[in-house]
């Protein structure tokens, strides 16, 4: 049994009268609305035209419908033949190799039963691939990782395309899976959609200790067995990895966007509360369909109406305040554009300047997401952001209107799931702080600009004394070449800016370069001034080393990085927002040509993604293969798309 979070009914925040919105948040929102006017209007017109107040399957021909329920149980066939009960699509990313997604093995039967009890139906509409960057890190398979997001979006769309469904339940957790699921769901934005998390694994070996062993291994001070023991003690059971990377950033963003049930993101798998929340997700999805809303006296809540400009700004603010993954400088842009909202890196950078740092979760601190959740978690974070006027309360969520509903936390009263107001104060100020007493004055994300292009840098874990590095460039066309140079001692005793190029989406799918992190950390700890500049990704896991990442235009498309040479003086200034090349006019240089080999484009499935590499957009436009197919923006500040040669 479930009761619905109620909370205050008006536009007031959790602690009294409405708070005045911060002027920068208001300004960014206003310009986002203006910039997106054409595309958002076109998107809304499209999804509203697709909406139906009766079951979608009622428009199918008899043969079509018979195919749709042929495998169902007799009682379900009767209901599916009828034209009353709403039918939910379950789109799952289950596989039993990935710890974060293994818990989903048991979800479909639970969701189906809960939907039936709530007066609806549910069918597994399809599955989507779910790959793990942790497994493919440094391997050829990592070149498929970013592209998998758009494959997931297309896979979700295929599942939903049967027109059997009146709502959807999306089962996904990790890096590309949740953004892909949301992009796919937004293509069917007329459907009410609830995202269903699986929760993090219990805390194991502290992430800081794991990182220490990794660095010792990079220095040759511990062997493979000791390293493997540390890794296995950290990643030890089913559930999401406990550090605050892209996977857990996804969970926070889905809750702040109002697509999770309140307080559900970081409840551990296999617990009674987790199981109750899973059932409640199906019940809520039924209730917000057109038929369910009519029956319960509520309102239908299509996902495309939920993800609007204000919701996108809220997601950006929460990402910044929590120190979330830099991968979302691409994923948030891509997700927003799928709803006709024209988010840019400048929006994120301007918000970062005024959004305080409120969380210390590894790699930006020593705590993991379980500690964060215990300290007050997302509910307290939303509460303090509302009180500071840094997020919009007047947004639509799957629970109804008002972000204040997400200051509540779920609890079990016997077998009844209910919600109560969450903590009004942080329960651990070393992990989570109010906006009135932050860890830092800004969100730790900057856009860098200069002759080398445009990049982003995450400074949350970078000490102030390391945020400005000006040193000679050492240029590498592959991360393995850098690691060989490190192992041979060629990087010892010198300040340097490692330029790792030809790692962008058009070159090789923009793999993450986590393998560089321990080596760079070793050099910095030895007293060398080091930084990295790359058109690849590092997911913010560069940690303590300044990393100008996602450089665009990328080298493979003739971007400035293709003209940099060893010894050029490069400046990475995270405080001033500068990515400079001192004393060199790149216009007079020919781009370096990276010799192409069969291995660059084939093996491990890479040959199947040639069309993606040929059509993918730049990082600052979301690194997506999907065109912006709604009305074009007339804003001259619209981010340009680099044309492929």
């Amino acid at each position: 049994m479930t009761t619905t979070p109620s909370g205050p009914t008006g536009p007031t925040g959790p602690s009294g009268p409405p708070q005045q919105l911060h002027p920068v948040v208001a300004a960014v929102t206003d310009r986002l609305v203006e910039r997106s006017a054409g595309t958002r209007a076109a998107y809304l017109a499209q999804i509203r035209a697709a909406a139906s107040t009766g079951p979608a399957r009622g428009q199918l021909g008899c043969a079509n419908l018979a195919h749709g329920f042929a495998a169902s149980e007799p009682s379900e066939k009767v209901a599916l033949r009828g034209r009353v009960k709403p039918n939910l699509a379950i789109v799952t990313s289950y596989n039993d190799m990935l710890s974060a997604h293994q818990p989903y093995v048991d979800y479909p039967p639970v969701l189906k039963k809960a939907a039936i009890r709530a007066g609806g139906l549910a069918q597994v509409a399809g599955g989507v691939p779910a790959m793990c960057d942790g497994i493919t890190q440094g391997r050829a398979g990592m070149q498929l990782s970013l592209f998998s997001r758009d494959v997931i979006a297309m896979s979700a769309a295929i599942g939903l395309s049967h027109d059997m469904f009146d709502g959807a339940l999306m089962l996904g957790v990790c890096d590309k899976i949740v953004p892909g699921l949301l992009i796919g769901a937004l293509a069917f934005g007329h459907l009410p959609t609830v995202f269903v998390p699986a929760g993090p694994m219990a805390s194991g070996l502290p992430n800081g200790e794991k990182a220490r062993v990794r660095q010792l291994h990079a220095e040759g001070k511990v062997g493979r067995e000791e390293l493997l023991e540390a890794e296995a003690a950290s990643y030890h059971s089913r559930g999401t990895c406990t550090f605050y990377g892209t996977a857990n950033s996804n969970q926070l963003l889905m809750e702040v966007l109002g697509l999770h049930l309140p307080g559900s993101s970081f409840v551990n798998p296999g617990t009674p509360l987790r199981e109750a929340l899973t059932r409640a997700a199906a019940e809520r999805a039924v209730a917000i369909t057109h038929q369910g809303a009519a029956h319960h006296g509520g309102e239908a809540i299509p996902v495309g109406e939920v993800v609007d400009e204000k919701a996108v700004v809220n997601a950006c603010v929460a990402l910044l305040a929590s120190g979330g993954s830099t991968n979302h400088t691409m994923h948030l842009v891509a997700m927003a554009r799928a709803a006709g909202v024209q988010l840019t890196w400048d929006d994120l950078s301007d918000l970062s300047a005024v959004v305080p740092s409120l969380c210390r979760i590894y790699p930006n601190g020593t705590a993991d997401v379980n500690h964060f959740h215990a300290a007050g978690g997302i509910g307290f974070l939303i509460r303090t952001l509302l009180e500071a006027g840094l997020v919009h309360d007047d947004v639509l969520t799957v629970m109804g209107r008002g972000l204040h509903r997400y200051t509540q936390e779920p609890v079990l009263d016997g077998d009844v799931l209910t919600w109560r107001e969450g903590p009004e104060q942080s329960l651990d100020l070393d992990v989570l702080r109010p906006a009135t007493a932050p860890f830092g004055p800004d969100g730790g994300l900057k856009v860098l600009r200069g002759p080398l292009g445009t990049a982003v840098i995450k400074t949350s874990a970078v000490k102030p004394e390391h945020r400005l590095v000006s040193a000679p460039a050492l240029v590498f066309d592959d991360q393995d070449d850098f690691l060989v140079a490190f192992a041979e001692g060629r990087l010892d005793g010198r300040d340097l800016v490692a330029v790792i190029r030809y790692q962008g989406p058009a070159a090789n799918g923009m793999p993450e370069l986590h393998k560089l992190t321990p080596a760079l950390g070793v050099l910095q700890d030895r007293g060398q001034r080091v930084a990295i500049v790359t058109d690849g990704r590092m997911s913010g896991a560069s940690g303590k080393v300044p990393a100008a990442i996602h450089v665009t235009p990328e080298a493979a498309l003739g971007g400035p990085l293709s003209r940099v040479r060893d010894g050029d003086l490069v400046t990475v200034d995270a405080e001033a927002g500068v990515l400079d090349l001192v004393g060199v006019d790149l216009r007079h240089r020919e781009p370096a040509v990276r010799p192409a080999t069969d291995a660059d484009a084939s093996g491990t499935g890479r040959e199947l993604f040639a069309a993606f590499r040929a059509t993918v957009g730049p990082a600052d436009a979301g690194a997506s293969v999907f065109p912006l197919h709604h009305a074009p923006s007339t804003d001259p500040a619209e981010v340009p798309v680099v044309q492929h040669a």
Side-chain angles (χ1 to χ4, degrees), residues 538-564:
M538 293 189 78
S539 181
S542 50
K544 62 188 181 183
V545 177
I549 58 178
H550 307 174
V551 174
T552 186
E554 64 174 285
L557 298 181
L561 287 188
S562 66
R563 293 172 169 81
V564 178

Side-chain angles (χ1 to χ4, degrees), residues 237-446:
S237 68
R238 62 184 193 148
T240 316
C241 305
T242 60
F243 66 92
Y244 193 45
T246 311
N248 286 316
S249 297
N250 284 339
Q251 302 310 292
L252 180 138
L253 291 182
M254 291 305 102
E255 192 157 329
V256 174
L257 282 171
L259 297 174
H260 276 178
L261 299 189
S264 65
S265 296
F266 297 134
V267 175
N268 301 120
T271 61
L273 182 56
R274 173 84 280 154
E275 294 165 6
L277 285 164
T278 299
R279 293 191 297 269
E283 295 169 7
R284 188 59 190 165
V286 170
I288 61 176
T289 62
H290 282 284
Q291 303 92 316
H295 180 74
H296 294 287
E299 64 173 325
I301 305 178
V303 65
E305 305 278 358
V306 172
V307 183
D308 65 4
E309 297 92 340
K310 290 180 179 180
V312 168
V313 169
N314 285 353
C316 293
V317 169
L319 180 79
L320 294 164
S322 61
S325 170
T326 53
N327 272 327
H328 277 293
T329 61
M330 292 181 294
H331 294 328
L332 267 173
V333 170
M335 290 187 290
R337 289 184 173 219
V341 178
Q342 302 290 312
L343 182 68
T344 70
W345 282 0
D346 283 335
D347 297 329
L348 279 159
S349 186
D350 289 353
L351 289 170
S352 182
V354 300
V355 173
S357 174
L358 303 180
C359 303
R360 283 287 182 262
I361 321 170
Y362 186 85
N364 305 325
T366 59
D368 66 20
V369 294
N370 292 311
H371 301 137
F372 166 70
H373 186 64
I378 298 172
F380 176 79
L381 180 66
I382 290 173
R383 178 184 297 277
T384 192
L385 291 172
L386 282 168
E387 290 172 348
L390 290 168
V391 289
H392 298 273
D393 184 45
D394 57 331
V395 291
L396 187 62
T397 77
V398 297
M399 305 311 303
R401 186 157 293 279
L403 187 62
H404 57 259
R405 297 175 184 272
Y406 285 76
T407 65
Q408 298 183 326
E409 61 182 11
V411 292
L412 281 175
D413 182 5
D415 63 348
V416 177
L417 174 64
T418 187
W419 274 261
R420 67 186 180 194
E421 274 302 316
E424 296 186 1
Q425 297 181 340
S426 169
L427 302 179
D428 188 343
L429 291 173
D430 291 332
V431 177
L432 178 60
R433 290 191 179 178
T436 53
F439 290 106
D442 60 59
L445 182 74
K446 279 248 187 179

Side-chain angles (χ1 to χ4, degrees), residues 517-575:
T517 302
L520 289 163
V522 168
L523 299 177
Q524 183 172 276
D525 287 351
R526 290 174 180 170
Q528 297 170 231
R529 297 193 64 76
V530 295
I532 181 172
V533 176
T534 181
D535 47 11
R537 296 184 292 129
M538 293 189 78
S539 181
S542 50
K544 62 188 181 183
V545 177
I549 58 178
H550 307 174
V551 174
T552 186
E554 64 174 285
L557 298 181
L561 287 188
S562 66
R563 293 172 169 81
V564 178
R565 298 174 182 169
D566 287 347
D568 288 345
L569 185 61
V570 175
T571 296
V572 177
D573 189 341
E575 299 291 353

Side-chain angles (χ1 to χ4, degrees), residues 14 137 159 193 347 367:
Q137 197 63 240
T193 300
D347 297 329

Side-chain angles (χ1 to χ4, degrees), residues 16 73 95 105 117 175 226 297 303 324 350 382 392 410 420 435 458 501 538 551 556 571 608 616:
E73 295 297 324
N95 65 55
V105 64
R117 284 195 300 270
D175 296 14
E226 291 168 285
V303 65
D350 289 353
I382 290 173
H392 298 273
R420 67 186 180 194
K458 182 178 179 181
R501 63 190 181 188
M538 293 189 78
V551 174
T571 296
L608 303 177
V616 67

